Amino acid sequence: MNVLDQARAVGDAVLYEGYLLYPYRASARKNRVRWQWGVLVPPSYASAEIGEHASARVECVLEPLERTILRVKLRFLGARTRPGTEWDEGVEHEVDFELPLSELPAEEPFRVHELAGVLTARVDPLDGPFGGARLRVEVHNTTSWPSDGVREHALRHALLAAHLVLSVDTGHFLSMLDPPEWAKPAVETCKQERLWPVLIGDTSRSTVVLASPIILYDDPAIAPESPGDLFDGTEIDEILTLRTMTLTDEEKREARATDPRAAAIVDRVDAMPPELLERLHGAVRSVRPVEPSVVVAGVRVAEGSRVRLRPNLRGTDAQDMFLVGKTATVRVVLSDVDGVTYLAVTLDEDPAADLQHEHGRYRYFSPDEIEPLEVAE
């Protein structure tokens, strides 16, 4: 998958995040209050007091070359009432802009059916010997609509889940989360309003940035285990799939009648083979194996070491209080994305410890939460 395809895949998740929540029926209370982020309403309805806005802005730092061309893809949903129902379905829209940096600032109007807007862009060279520039892109909904004060009506004249894909043909964008030292002052002065820029395809520099209404880390990607969109929260695929399986035939009929995407979810779950469901059971990517051992209180602790648990009771898992003093066996020494070391263990008293190990199901503790009992062979 190239970086633009990756940006589109993540952008699709942004478009439909919360679009239609389980149980995927129009009658469900949670599906009667929708369109919560990336919403750019018409100016007549916009009000900071009620948290509704007609514009969004993103700023980022890039290192352009002499003839760099900026390409901007604006993506959003437009709401329309599905014929014969009271259900508002989303219709995807895209608007493309090609802007040579040498011709900025620029103001580009656009119209999609009854929706109107303006995209503006400017680039300012950074002070100092390192070069670089600050790019600002704004999107404004300029649709003329005599507001009646009803949000549901305003949403039919709004850009929903609006986001941008920015790309350059030469040069590159810098990470806003972990910029090089010389760029940090410029990054700190960048102002984001309802859009947040992250790199696609890398975590330090890239030719593509996704400006998302949902804050993400650099280089976000769709989990390869996910068989398709579920439109719900953080895509907790297994539990949502299992819950969908419990719908009655009548509930499934209502879900299929609500929206074509809901029908696709129900059909996909009904036809899901057991091996695909098993694949959804979990994958750990935030930690990775590191050195084969870690020294705790002067003792080398590695795979196979027996330890006594002394969990920090101010930690995040309140149930750790029941593990104080219990013995465990270290299965893996791991490190997270910040370089912090953890020990993956199974409880010695757990009759399913070997099965847990086989499936990679562990309890995780930091080195200061364990007491070495014996060294691994």
Side-chain angles (χ1 to χ4, degrees):
M1 179 182 294
N2 65 40
V3 287
L4 287 175
D5 289 340
Q6 181 180 339
R8 174 177 288 279
V10 177
D12 286 346
V14 171
L15 275 178
Y16 292 105
E17 177 79 11
Y19 167 77
L20 181 59
L21 302 175
Y22 170 87
Y24 308 122
R25 305 195 307 270
S27 62
R29 184 185 299 271
K30 64 176 73 173
N31 286 318
R32 296 176 183 176
V33 181
R34 305 166 66 209
W35 322 117
Q36 299 302 313
W37 49 79
V39 176
L40 303 182
V41 297
S44 59
Y45 185 75
S47 168
E49 293 182 358
I50 61 174
E52 300 286 358
H53 304 274
S55 65
R57 163 177 166 176
V58 62
E59 293 187 355
C60 53
V61 175
L62 72 156
E63 292 184 292
L65 298 181
E66 185 177 354
R67 293 183 177 84
T68 294
I69 295 176
L70 170 69
R71 293 183 173 87
V72 180
K73 183 180 293 289
L74 167 63
R75 307 184 72 215
F76 62 94
L77 296 177
R80 70 180 182 189
T81 301
R82 191 177 182 196
T85 73
E86 296 182 358
W87 173 257
D88 281 350
E89 61 184 357
V91 180
E92 290 185 31
H93 298 297
E94 290 187 0
V95 186
D96 292 299
F97 307 88
E98 186 170 296
L99 307 170
L101 293 190
S102 60
E103 298 180 11
L104 300 186
E107 184 174 292
E108 300 286 332
F110 63 88
R111 178 172 288 278
V112 179
H113 301 301
E114 297 180 358
L115 297 173
V118 172
L119 181 133
T120 65
R122 64 173 296 153
V123 64
D124 298 297
L126 300 179
D127 295 331
F130 298 102
R134 180 187 297 104
L135 174 69
R136 177 194 300 175
V137 180
E138 298 183 18
V139 182
H140 299 261
N141 184 346
T142 61
T143 303
S144 177
W145 174 66
S147 176
D148 59 6
V150 179
R151 187 174 192 266
E152 287 73 14
H153 298 167
L155 292 176
R156 294 169 189 164
H157 306 273
L159 282 62
L160 307 171
H163 62 278
L164 303 171
V165 178
L166 312 176
S167 62
V168 289
D169 61 338
T170 57
H172 52 258
F173 297 95
L174 298 178
S175 171
M176 301 294 287
L177 294 172
D178 188 21
E181 198 65 31
W182 67 264
K184 286 183 179 179
V187 167
E188 290 172 356
T189 62
C190 287
K191 185 177 181 181
Q192 320 300 342
E193 295 179 351
R194 293 168 289 285
L195 289 174
W196 179 258
V198 293
L199 300 182
I200 300 295
D202 203 336
T203 57
S204 59
R205 59 186 60 193
S206 176
T207 58
V208 178
V209 157
L210 173 66
S212 164
I214 302 171
I215 295 178
L216 303 168
Y217 287 108
D218 282 328
D219 199 23
I222 303 300
E225 295 84 3
S226 181
D229 297 324
L230 288 166
F231 311 140
D232 204 329
T234 54
E235 292 293 86
I236 44 178
D237 294 54
E238 183 182 31
I239 191 169
L240 291 174
T241 297
L242 291 172
R243 286 180 174 178
T244 303
M245 288 178 174
T246 68
L247 293 175
T248 66
D249 290 343
E250 177 57 35
E251 289 170 332
K252 289 180 180 180
R253 278 193 292 270
E254 184 186 350
R256 288 186 172 99
T258 292
D259 187 279
R261 298 178 183 89
I265 291 174
V266 174
D267 292 343
R268 185 171 71 240
V269 169
D270 278 353
M272 183 174 291
E275 59 270 21
L276 184 54
L277 182 61
E278 174 66 21
R279 197 174 73 174
L280 302 182
H281 196 51
V284 177
R285 296 188 180 84
S286 59
V287 293
R288 60 186 184 278
V290 287
E291 296 297 327
S293 65
V294 62
V295 176
V296 180
V299 178
R300 183 179 68 89
V301 176
E303 179 183 349
S305 294
R306 292 185 66 250
V307 299
R308 192 177 305 279
L309 302 179
R310 304 294 187 191
N312 178 2
L313 298 185
R314 294 183 180 180
T316 57
D317 191 344
Q319 296 196 36
D320 281 352
M321 70 175 69
F322 302 114
L323 303 180
V324 174
K326 293 187 180 296
T327 61
T329 299
V330 174
R331 299 292 190 165
V332 193
V333 180
L334 301 163
S335 176
D336 68 11
V337 293
D338 296 317
V340 179
T341 298
Y342 293 92
L343 302 171
V345 308
T346 54
L347 294 178
D348 290 343
E349 66 179 34
D350 186 350
D354 289 339
L355 183 62
Q356 299 283 356
H357 176 48
E358 182 181 337
H359 286 273
R361 298 292 181 176
Y362 304 119
R363 299 174 187 269
Y364 298 91
F365 297 93
S366 59
D368 64 358
E369 293 182 298
I370 63 100
E371 172 190 329
L373 293 178
E374 59 184 47
V375 180
E377 294 283 333

